[in-house]
Amino acid sequence: YDLSGGETLRYDEMVQRTLRCLTPPVPLLQVPRAMVRGALALAALRGGFADAGAGTLARMQQDLIFDHAPAARDFGYAPRPFEPSAGMFRVPASAT
C-alpha cells in the first residue's frame, strides 16, 4: 500500500508552509540550481554536506505522487492535509 499524504504538494510549497509556521515566519529564498550545485561542491571539498549532492537536488525535482486509493478502500486510510505547526519543529532542550 502507498500511504501518501492528504494532498499533492510541490516540494517548494511544502517547504514554504513549514517556514511560514515558524515565529517569526522565514521567507523561502530560491536560488538557481547551478549556484546550489556549486555551493555543495565547495562544501564537499571542505568536508561538509557530504550526503547532499546531485542526488539530493534531483530528488527535490522529482514528482513523488502516490495513490493511496487502495489503502482508503481496504482499511479506511484518510490522510490529513499538510498543515505544519511551529511545535513540530522545536528541538527539545535535552537535545541541545
Side-chain angles (χ1 to χ4, degrees):
Y1 289 100
D2 288 322
L3 302 178
S4 61
E7 61 186 310
T8 303
L9 296 173
R10 290 184 328 269
Y11 183 79
D12 63 327
E13 175 61 23
M14 181 185 66
V15 173
Q16 285 176 349
R17 287 187 192 184
T18 301
L19 295 176
R20 277 194 306 257
C21 80
L22 301 176
T23 304
V26 178
L28 176 62
L29 176 63
Q30 295 185 358
V31 296
R33 276 185 237 155
M35 277 179 80
V36 175
R37 278 194 291 268
L40 287 173
L42 287 173
L45 289 174
R46 296 184 51 101
F49 294 99
D51 295 331
T56 302
L57 294 176
R59 279 188 300 280
M60 288 186 217
Q61 301 300 316
Q62 287 178 342
D63 177 5
L64 299 176
I65 298 173
F66 302 95
D67 181 13
H68 61 258
R73 178 193 65 231
D74 292 349
F75 56 88
Y77 180 68
R80 62 177 175 76
F82 182 67
E83 298 171 349
S85 67
M88 295 175 170
F89 304 102
R90 290 200 179 107
V91 177
S94 61
T96 57

